Amino acid sequence: MAMAGLYRRRLPSPPAIDFASSEGKQLFVEAIQNGTMEGFYRLISYFQTQSEPAYCGLASLSMVLNALAIDPGRKWKGPWRWFDESMLDCCEPLEKVKATGISFGKLVCLGLCAGAKVEAYRTNQSDIDDFRKHVIQCSISDDCHIISSYHRGIFKQTGTGHFSPIGGYHAGTDMALILDVARFKYPPHWVPLKLLWEAMDSIDETTGQHRGFMLISRPHTEPGLLYTLSCKHESWAGISKYLVDDVPVLLKSEDVKDINKLLYVVFSSLPSNFEELIKWVAEVRRHEDGGASLSQEEKGRLAVKEEVLKQVQETGLFKHVAEFLSSANSCCRSMPILSPEDDLPRIAAHICCQGAEILAGKFSSSGGYCCRETCVRCLKTTDEKSVTLVSGTVVDGGSEQGVDVLVPSAQMKPSCCGCGPSRRIGMHPAGNDVLTALLLALPPETWSGIKDGKLLQEMNTLVSTQSLPMLLQEEVLHLRRQLHLLKRCQENKVDEDLGAPLA
């Protein structure tokens, strides 16, 4: 009986040398002796095969992220947090990647969204000597890894564009080890670095741009504690453009004389789907995880988040934002996300749906989740501090699940409540503090168009990150980096500042 399909390909050699061949083994041993295989051990520990023919970029990235021990912050399956190709969908829908693959720039965007530090280099803005320097740099340590984007044709291999990590370097022969994630097709193999450069120095016909390579390492800063921005929902492009591009133009065109008028100009034109941009970073547990007791890790994270929230609400800018939004003349009172009087059941339902997304590894999904019932309770930890537990039954199609979400409470006297909709607690996962943090996160040049000198000086003082406590300063800088990333993703310029990580 005839069997359809292909079982592997014969590796064209030369120019490549099979890693498992006698010559390949000798190169490996010599490279180990010369200290240029240090990055190999982490990578080989997490070496994977791409699960779809067009998933080479996703497989390469998830392999590198796991090798760097970057915590995805959300569950993969069961209780495990782990990067998998299926979780790398914040910059490009998986169905589109499955059909056509992913571009160099979008893969850079994915790495940044996943929490890594990424330095991207296209070959027309670099050279082979710099490439060799970076290959050696990542081969003698295990804290950075390189993903190469190249054309297989240079190596006489079948196929066209491809992504794979570089696993090591042999100085004597000037050869690099490619850990090919298409393991069903070709094994890991050594190739002359000069030929690898030529394979990268080709044009991607889909984008019309040169291929290249990216250095991926752990970030120096931790991810956001309270808030994160989403580039999954379709609204993010317009909202990020408004915040970064349109607000400065509005301030230049308006005769703004005081803070109240300035806030009116900024908030009155906010896109109606603004709340889809920002997500509350919540601690999520399932009902079946058992009880309401908190682990030491959960207690520690919640304590830090409480402190950040307190610091947001102690800023001078927060006081102005709160006064403006509570004003009877504020035109923004019709926007639910902006009102300090958000309806608690609606907030609780929103948080539970977000929690279900996190548990399922589906951020900003297109609307399948609906929260049928919610309950908000105040719990006491062992040190007598109060934390807020939002519980709900979330329905997704024909299935339902119980979700518990732990959130920090606002720094006001808490009034613990039961499940009734009429009782409130000091919890604002999307309110005055959100807008305060986002205003602080806007690029400093946003306010340069203010014509009134006194107001300009006052606003610069209010939004200065230098005067903020360290925790809040890190949170604001995290949001600022995310805004910058969203704008560059929107313009397809995520890798325009080649050779430099996001600032």
Side-chain angles (χ1 to χ4, degrees), residues 363-375:
F363 282 99
S364 307
S365 59
S366 56
Y369 290 106
C370 175
C371 195
R372 195 168 63 189
E373 57 184 65
T374 58
C375 175

Side-chain angles (χ1 to χ4, degrees), residues 12 34 44 77 107 140 154 171 197 244 251 309 363 400 411 421:
N34 289 328
I44 204 66
K77 292 180 181 179
L107 192 64
I140 62 176
I154 296 294
W197 176 261
V244 179
L251 293 176
L309 188 56
F363 282 99
E400 64 179 47
Q411 297 303 307

Side-chain angles (χ1 to χ4, degrees), residues 7-35:
Y7 178 65
R8 303 194 302 183
R9 293 277 193 188
R10 181 180 294 276
L11 180 69
S13 180
I17 299 174
D18 190 333
F19 177 68
S21 68
S22 297
E23 188 178 357
K25 292 176 184 177
Q26 185 62 33
L27 291 171
F28 179 58
V29 170
E30 292 173 0
I32 290 176
Q33 293 171 344
N34 289 328

Side-chain angles (χ1 to χ4, degrees), residues 82-103:
W82 185 255
F83 275 109
D84 179 74
E85 295 158 310
S86 62
M87 297 163 66
L88 298 174
D89 62 348
C90 75
C91 297
E92 195 83 303
L94 288 177
E95 285 304 311
K96 184 175 180 181
V97 178
K98 185 176 179 179
T100 62
I102 192 167
S103 70

Side-chain angles (χ1 to χ4, degrees), residues 113-160:
C113 283
K117 175 184 176 183
V118 183
E119 299 175 60
Y121 300 80
R122 290 193 186 275
T123 55
N124 60 330
Q125 296 183 338
S126 183
D127 58 46
I128 189 171
D129 293 329
D130 280 338
F131 176 52
R132 182 181 292 107
K133 177 187 70 176
H134 291 304
V135 169
I136 294 172
Q137 170 194 341
C138 290
S139 296
I140 62 176
S141 72
D142 61 4
D143 57 7
C144 74
H145 301 290
I146 292 178
I147 294 177
S148 174
S149 170
Y150 60 94
H151 196 288
R152 285 192 181 275
I154 296 294
F155 304 125
K156 302 178 183 178
Q157 299 172 2
T158 62
T160 53

Side-chain angles (χ1 to χ4, degrees), residues 275-332:
E275 69 266 26
E276 296 296 340
L277 177 70
I278 195 159
K279 297 295 178 185
W280 178 250
V281 179
E283 308 294 338
V284 184
R285 58 169 60 230
R286 293 180 187 269
H287 282 302
E288 55 265 31
D289 285 347
S293 60
L294 307 182
S295 68
Q296 288 301 121
E297 182 185 10
E298 288 172 320
K299 290 177 186 177
R301 287 199 301 264
L302 282 170
V304 174
K305 291 166 79 169
E306 290 277 5
E307 180 60 28
V308 176
L309 188 56
K310 176 184 176 183
Q311 290 177 5
V312 170
Q313 296 173 352
E314 287 178 345
T315 63
L317 183 61
F318 177 85
K319 295 177 176 61
H320 285 288
V321 171
E323 289 175 6
F324 173 78
L325 295 179
S326 63
S327 169
N329 294 325
S330 173
C331 71
C332 298

